[in-house]
Amino acid sequence: MPDLFHIPAGMFTILLILVHSSDMIEAYQIGFDDNDRYTPLVQNAMKYIRDNLSIKLNISKVAENAFISVSTLTKAFKEQTGRTVGLYIDDLVMYSAQRKLLCSELSVSEISEEFGFCDQFYFSRYFKRRCGESPLRYRKRMQ
């Protein structure tokens, strides 16, 4: 008789990543493809942020891309999402970094470079401040 409760290690890791990803999306309220909740202006800003994600990205660059003023974007984004553009960028960087740690073999240095941090040490401090543990400890605990 087959063991119905036995899950191969690789499959368990995939399941854990999927569950954790949905928790992160909910926790960070990232709002992927939430067309009913957001106006085209905010949707386009979110898309630009996702496509150009970096810790160096700021509201001025996002507003410039949308050909609107910073104050217009600030007001619309805050009204519709309940948070600032800067906080949204920070949350998306954290979500994406966590996913990279769980779903790739990239080093902390490579991940920090990908998201525009000046070095892996600053990334590690940023990650620990946001998550309460270092990137390597997070990766080890979640795998």
Side-chain angles (χ1 to χ4, degrees), residues 105-122:
E105 297 296 319
L106 294 174
S107 69
V108 171
S109 178
E110 291 169 317
I111 293 170
S112 68
E113 187 177 316
E114 183 174 330
F115 292 111
F117 288 88
C118 57
D119 60 47
Q120 72 183 40
F121 306 108
Y122 177 64

Side-chain angles (χ1 to χ4, degrees), residues 31-132:
F32 289 119
D33 301 322
D34 206 348
N35 296 335
D36 296 337
R37 276 179 57 187
Y38 307 119
T39 62
L41 173 86
V42 171
Q43 288 176 37
N44 290 338
M46 288 175 160
K47 182 178 180 342
Y48 180 79
I49 292 166
R50 284 192 308 268
D51 292 347
N52 297 279
L53 189 59
S54 167
I55 197 68
K56 296 175 185 174
L57 186 60
N58 61 42
I59 191 169
S60 298
K61 292 177 186 174
V62 178
E64 182 180 312
N65 176 71
F67 303 106
I68 58 171
S69 70
V70 168
S71 61
T72 299
L73 179 59
T74 299
K75 183 178 179 191
F77 204 93
K78 178 76 172 177
E79 283 177 357
Q80 293 176 47
T81 67
R83 72 173 100 196
T84 65
V85 173
L87 182 56
Y88 180 81
I89 292 168
D90 283 349
D91 287 347
L92 193 54
V93 165
M94 275 307 302
Y95 166 78
S96 301
Q98 287 174 318
R99 288 208 29 113
K100 290 282 182 185
L101 287 165
L102 295 177
C103 300
S104 77
E105 297 296 319
L106 294 174
S107 69
V108 171
S109 178
E110 291 169 317
I111 293 170
S112 68
E113 187 177 316
E114 183 174 330
F115 292 111
F117 288 88
C118 57
D119 60 47
Q120 72 183 40
F121 306 108
Y122 177 64
F123 170 70
S124 292
R125 286 193 308 273
Y126 172 87
F127 192 95
K128 187 170 186 176
R129 186 173 59 243
R130 294 285 312 261
C131 285

